[in-house]
Amino acid sequence: MVAGLLFLALAFFAVGQAGATRNEAQGAADAAALAAAQESRDLFRDGLLAGLLDPDFLDDVFNGNPIGTAGGCDAATRFADQNGADVVPGECVPLNDGRWGFRVAVRTQEPMGPNILSETEDKHAEADATAVVVPRCSFEPAEDEEQSEDGEESEDSDDAEPVSPGTLQCDGRPGWDIDPEHLDLLPDMADLFSVRLAQD
């Protein structure tokens, strides 16, 4: 009876050890996916600045389905490693379902180790996670430029000063009027876009 109880105790320990390794793998996958999405969001700043005066571009980014940038897997690799895992080759990929984000699969660097369940001794735990970038703002276009009585614009379009394309309204905060003369005052990317884990 004592031997049987000891065996059961060791078996429960082995199962718990395997479960802990799987949890570590999932934590590494979550961190890697979030890191990829965050890096992609930050890399998108230059592209966003380049299109800030284009209302159609802004409407697509904030009111449609932003695609962002494909960069991000370098960060996924770093964060997986910091959490004791490696990104599975070819398994850090941008989403192709209309969402801006990444799916990342990882494998623990260390196997589960020797225990009573010998078939798990050399196995590595694997897990995957998906993270997405979501706009925190909506774009409200400016009213159309006033036109003269004959229907022509009041100024020659070649000589006209650039005008604001509209306003960004973010999470109930005061709107940010896009000023063509001060595009460098663009809010932080973290204020414009949130990053979160999502279901596949």
Side-chain angles (χ1 to χ4, degrees), residues 94-190:
L95 300 178
N96 60 1
D97 56 5
R99 295 178 296 171
W100 175 8
F102 290 80
R103 178 188 175 276
V104 182
V106 305
R107 180 184 296 116
T108 56
Q109 295 171 347
E110 298 294 334
M112 295 183 185
N115 58 58
I116 195 171
L117 301 177
S118 59
E119 65 273 12
T120 69
E121 180 175 343
D122 296 322
K123 287 190 175 182
H124 298 255
E126 296 188 5
D128 63 77
T130 299
V132 294
V133 183
V134 180
R136 301 180 65 177
C137 309
S138 60
F139 171 66
E140 295 183 2
E143 295 182 1
D144 292 338
E145 184 177 341
E146 292 185 2
Q147 297 184 338
S148 58
E149 292 182 0
D150 60 3
E152 298 292 334
E153 291 186 359
S154 58
E155 297 183 20
D156 189 292
S157 58
D158 293 333
D159 299 327
E161 294 292 331
V163 297
S164 172
T167 302
L168 293 178
Q169 296 287 349
C170 304
D171 291 347
R173 291 172 291 173
W176 180 63
D177 294 323
I178 302 171
D179 183 350
E181 301 298 326
H182 297 93
L183 295 182
D184 57 321
L185 298 180
L186 178 72
D188 290 340
M189 295 300 283

Side-chain angles (χ1 to χ4, degrees), residues 3-19 22 115-120:
L5 290 175
L6 181 59
F7 178 84
L8 285 176
L10 291 173
F12 280 123
F13 175 78
V15 170
Q17 184 181 29
R22 284 192 293 270
N115 58 58
I116 195 171
L117 301 177
S118 59
E119 65 273 12
T120 69

